[in-house]
Amino acid sequence: MTPDQAAMVDFLRGRYAEKLASAQSMDKAFRLGVGADLGLKPSDAAGAARSGIHAAESRTRFLDETVIPYLGTAGPTGRIADIQLRILADEHQGARGYDEAWRP
């Protein structure tokens, strides 16, 4: 894994951890009735929060199981893993810590 790839991995793990924590906090708040004064149905709001939790967990799993193990691998497999990593990072363009050099 190159230093640039390691920086992208660290960046993505940080973003995914933030998204997971945020979604878990929202889920807990909605189950306690927060947002009812805004017309949000607790079940709808909690469902949206659970969807955020699932998305963060799925992205983390994709990164850990199908991208990271193949970074630095010779040939097409390594190139594909690098492109996947860059596409995952590109989702966060403009976020604190994102480096434009990472663009796919």
Side-chain angles (χ1 to χ4, degrees):
M1 183 182 316
T2 69
D4 210 30
Q5 290 170 332
M8 282 186 271
V9 167
D10 289 344
F11 172 79
L12 286 169
R13 284 189 171 145
R15 296 301 72 71
Y16 297 156
E18 286 174 8
K19 287 184 177 195
L20 182 59
S22 175
Q24 288 171 331
S25 293
M26 288 182 0
D27 181 47
K28 182 178 179 182
F30 292 143
R31 280 190 275 128
L32 294 173
V34 173
D37 56 330
L38 300 173
L40 295 173
K41 293 181 184 175
S43 61
D44 292 342
R50 282 191 303 277
S51 179
I53 292 168
H54 177 71
E57 290 173 341
S58 294
R59 283 184 175 91
T60 300
R61 185 173 176 198
F62 179 79
L63 178 68
D64 289 342
E65 293 180 17
T66 70
V67 177
I68 293 172
Y70 302 100
L71 292 171
T73 304
T77 304
R79 286 191 300 274
I80 291 167
D82 183 69
I83 291 167
Q84 289 174 326
L85 179 64
R86 291 174 185 280
I87 289 170
L88 289 171
D90 198 51
E91 176 184 7
H92 304 280
Q93 206 177 101
R96 171 186 37 83
Y98 179 83
D99 185 339
E100 287 293 324
W102 297 344
R103 295 198 65 181

